[in-house]
Amino acid sequence: MAAAAPLSERLLPRGIGGGGGSGDGKRTGRGQRSSSVDARYKPFLDEWDKGFVEAEEEPDGHWLECVQGAVPQGLCGTLFRNGPGRFSVGRDPIAHPYDGDGLVLFVAFPGDGRAFFRSRFVRTAEFQAESAERRILFRGTFATQRPGGPAGNALDVYVKNTSNTNVQHWGGRLWTLFEAGQPYRLDPWTLRTQGLETLGGHIQPGLPFDLGSRTANKAFGGMTRAAQERAGAAQHLPEELYSAGGDAVTAHPHVDPATCRLVTFSYRVGPTIRPPFLGTTLTFWELEQDFSVAAQRSYDLAGFAFLHDFAMTENYYVVFQNPVTVDNLPYILGRAPAAACVRWVGGRPTVLHLIPRPGRTDAQGRPLEARRFELPPLFIFHHANAFEAEGGSKIVVDSIHYESLPAVGREALAEQQIDPDAAFRSRLRRVELDLQTGVLRISTAFNDYLEMVAINEQYWGRPHRYVYAYASQFEDPSIGIAKVDMAAGTTAVWRPGFQRFALEPKFVPRPGATAEDDGWLLSVVFHSGTGESQLVILDARDVERGPVAVLQFRQPIPSGLHGCWADVCYAPA
């Protein structure tokens, strides 16, 4: 058990930006920022990249072999996980691993010490179209362009829905998520794709742009269709996917344990009459098990809001608006993919928005009002949790902070001109906000790299003590699993060893548990030297002891992104 580094704290009055990394990065001789990472990170990246292997789906499934320890008898349910699994189409390589098509797997535990595995690709409309044509037909989010250079991509604003980012089980349904489009529903038993998931009809298919009128949206859709016709893709896509006025859905829904509701948000981007003449409308949904709407709230943000995740408390949705903007022209002209057009705005504060949940009131019975607070410039992908303290007068948020916009992938995209090393300097930090004085305190909980945070989700929106995450070792290429004690200021880490990379941990509570950390951590681990993949099970009370069980996959499992746990076991009888 290692003590955390001394807490670095900043006290910030309301409205004051303060310090933070500038994200200037390395400069070339002509004053341009280099997109190459520092040499000390390259051995790590060389090993990490080996995890993006072409997958062979295993739809029939099989029982896994336990090669170490024993699966706990009380572990009953199903781990679902999603991530990219196809990195070429015909002879065309996909230019960025996170542009790969989603591969969903599950490991189902009947509770008798066995585990059953199954996997399938998500049959999105785009997956089926490219499979039929055996070539790349669509532009990807990160780096993949259609052949033909700018001329072959110009005026096409349609981004391929890879449906590769997360998977959610709720109300007896299972669906995959891609935050620039709509979810896809899968059969949780077979993983067969069943079509778009509209969450009970509340999500509209189509492009997440709203130009303000049906006529304008129809014209925009016509332009998009024309681009797909030129590429030979239009015949494969349903008309509803071209149309503007659709809803994109966050890749990170959450379940509120206090209300037993699914909480998520959708968004649309469109023009506004005030600077910056572009806005993002968020719509928060709280859904019952039958997908009826228990609560709904819309909220407008100025500019393009890059939001991968959100948090919530008893009374608020919590959103961090990162200081980024988007330069659409290179994208429209076909010169660059979508992600390359996102720009870091140095010196602009990050804005924390507290958005009242519907029906919430103050001590006098008055409806709560939305509030915004400025933080130093920082970037956030993932939140661990948020909660209210001191009778609701304080908001506490634990998140992974970056100094500036991090690169996603091996190298920064040259067009973005960002610090290519920012991605290697993430920190778990706590933001404490006094609602009465407006004073912010930011403290570092673990002064080394962490990502893919998780907690015992029974504490979501409530005070928690433990945060779990994967912890990278760049000098000795590997990724372990960390347990951070936010109360004691200590961290325990399981290190799997050289060339072993543990992915996102998922906490599963032990049946009947009363302690917050009484449960197991499940993580897929790949070995970059041998190509083997395993599922490890750790006792969350003592992660340093190492796995209580190791299950061997027959085929390599590509490096995935996010997943979920369901209390239902979907193994065959």
Side-chain angles (χ1 to χ4, degrees):
M1 181 76 69
L7 294 182
S8 57
E9 298 186 349
R10 288 174 282 183
L11 298 179
L12 303 166
R14 182 190 335 206
I16 300 298
S22 66
D24 286 341
K26 300 183 288 288
R27 297 278 178 172
T28 66
R30 294 182 296 173
Q32 295 295 307
R33 297 186 182 97
S34 169
S35 61
S36 297
V37 300
D38 190 284
R40 68 181 182 273
Y41 299 124
K42 290 187 177 181
F44 177 91
L45 291 172
D46 289 342
E47 300 301 320
W48 169 255
D49 284 352
K50 294 176 185 177
F52 297 111
V53 294
E54 291 279 351
E56 295 184 16
E57 63 181 1
E58 300 181 67
D60 294 333
H62 56 264
W63 295 96
L64 295 177
E65 178 186 2
C66 185
V67 296
Q68 179 182 325
V71 176
Q73 293 289 319
L75 184 60
C76 183
T78 304
L79 172 71
F80 292 98
R81 205 203 64 165
N82 195 1
R86 185 168 76 161
F87 306 104
S88 63
V89 182
R91 295 184 177 181
D92 295 340
I94 290 174
H96 193 287
Y98 293 143
D99 285 335
D101 295 283
L103 176 78
V104 174
L105 63 82
F106 75 54
V107 180
F109 300 90
D112 58 4
R114 297 181 300 155
F116 186 84
F117 168 80
R118 193 191 305 276
S119 67
R120 281 185 190 269
F121 283 105
V122 185
R123 262 65 176 182
T124 64
E126 295 90 336
F127 177 95
Q128 296 188 88
E130 292 186 333
S131 296
E133 296 286 338
R134 295 191 58 76
R135 62 189 175 96
I136 289 177
L137 296 174
F138 306 99
R139 303 176 76 181
T141 299
F142 292 97
T144 305
Q145 297 269 72
R146 276 199 304 266
N153 292 275
L155 301 180
D156 182 8
V157 298
Y158 188 92
V159 175
K160 177 181 178 179
N161 184 341
T162 55
S163 213
N164 68 5
T165 312
N166 202 353
V167 59
Q168 180 66 44
H169 182 273
W170 173 254
R173 297 185 193 175
L174 182 73
W175 63 91
T176 55
L177 292 150
F178 166 72
E179 63 196 46
Q182 290 80 49
Y184 271 81
R185 189 192 301 185
L186 309 183
D187 183 318
W189 289 97
T190 65
L191 300 182
R192 289 192 180 95
T193 304
Q194 298 178 325
L196 289 178
E197 174 57 76
T198 63
L199 303 181
H202 309 304
I203 301 301
Q204 294 301 310
L207 301 171
F209 308 115
D210 190 346
L211 302 184
S213 72
R214 177 175 292 183
T215 300
N217 285 345
K218 185 176 181 179
F220 189 89
M223 180 189 74
T224 306
R225 180 179 177 83
Q228 300 308 310
E229 288 175 343
R230 291 195 300 272
Q235 61 181 319
H236 298 288
L237 294 180
E239 188 77 25
E240 62 184 3
L241 295 184
Y242 311 131
S243 305
D247 297 308
V249 180
T250 177
H252 284 280
H254 299 288
V255 176
D256 183 352
T259 62
C260 297
R261 296 171 181 164
L262 181 80
V263 184
T264 188
F265 74 82
S266 60
Y267 73 88
R268 295 179 183 177
V269 178
T272 61
I273 60 174
R274 297 178 181 177
F277 305 111
L278 184 73
T280 304
T281 298
L282 309 178
T283 301
F284 290 90
W285 306 89
E286 300 197 21
L287 304 178
E288 302 286 6
Q289 286 273 352
D290 62 0
F291 291 84
S292 62
V293 178
Q296 180 182 348
R297 168 77 190 265
S298 292
Y299 186 79
D300 293 328
L301 298 173
F304 167 73
F306 190 155
L307 305 177
H308 181 69
D309 195 3
F310 76 106
M312 65 183 176
T313 70
E314 179 183 355
N315 291 299
Y316 294 98
Y317 309 118
V318 182
V319 168
F320 282 67
Q321 187 173 6
N322 297 307
V324 299
T325 187
V326 60
D327 179 6
N328 286 310
L329 189 59
Y331 180 58
I332 294 172
L333 296 179
R335 298 200 304 258
C341 299
V342 178
R343 305 283 189 263
W344 175 256
V345 184
R348 180 188 293 179
T350 295
V351 180
L352 189 162
H353 297 268
L354 295 181
I355 305 166
R357 296 173 68 175
R360 299 323 200 258
T361 59
D362 63 16
Q364 287 72 43
R366 298 170 298 195
L368 291 175
E369 296 183 355
R371 300 180 67 178
R372 64 191 303 275
F373 301 86
E374 294 186 354
L375 281 71
L378 55 90
F379 188 93
I380 292 175
F381 278 122
H382 299 119
H383 300 290
N385 195 23
F387 58 89
E388 297 173 22
E390 298 180 11
S393 65
K394 179 186 287 187
I395 302 292
V396 179
V397 191
D398 291 342
S399 316
I400 298 295
H401 290 200
Y402 294 86
E403 299 168 358
S404 59
L405 177 63
V408 179
R410 183 179 182 87
E411 304 282 358
L413 299 173
E415 298 88 347
Q416 290 183 290
Q417 291 293 291
I418 60 175
D419 178 358
D421 296 338
F424 301 92
R425 298 193 294 266
S426 69
R427 296 293 184 268
L428 174 61
R429 293 196 173 111
R430 169 164 286 187
V431 173
E432 297 175 88
L433 172 61
D434 190 316
L435 296 182
Q436 297 178 341
T437 65
V439 170
L440 285 162
R441 180 189 302 269
I442 302 178
S443 56
T444 300
F446 181 65
N447 200 24
D448 210 340
Y449 182 95
L450 290 179
E451 249 300 356
M452 299 299 194
V453 283
I455 65 166
N456 179 340
E457 294 178 5
Q458 294 175 343
Y459 289 79
W460 184 255
R462 301 163 50 197
H464 66 278
R465 178 170 179 172
Y466 302 106
V467 174
Y468 310 95
Y470 73 45
S472 297
Q473 280 191 301
F474 301 120
E475 67 283 359
D476 181 32
S478 62
I479 298 179
I481 300 297
K483 174 187 181 181
V484 182
D485 187 330
M486 302 297 292
T490 57
T491 301
V493 183
W494 168 64
R495 298 291 185 189
F498 178 61
Q499 294 184 316
R500 288 181 167 87
F501 294 78
L503 304 177
E504 178 190 58
K506 184 59 60 176
F507 182 91
V508 180
R510 194 184 310 270
T514 56
E516 181 184 339
D517 63 346
D518 190 2
W520 302 282
L521 295 170
L522 278 58
S523 174
V524 174
V525 177
F526 76 89
H527 192 301
S528 64
T530 65
E532 292 182 318
S533 298
Q534 298 173 325
L535 179 73
V536 301
I537 303 173
L538 303 172
D539 187 329
R541 296 170 298 184
D542 188 7
V543 298
E544 290 177 313
R545 192 180 70 180
V548 298
V550 177
L551 300 165
Q552 186 75 35
F553 295 107
R554 295 179 182 175
Q555 303 289 338
I557 302 296
S559 294
L561 290 169
H562 299 293
C564 70
W565 173 262
D567 287 332
V568 181
C569 174
Y570 286 101

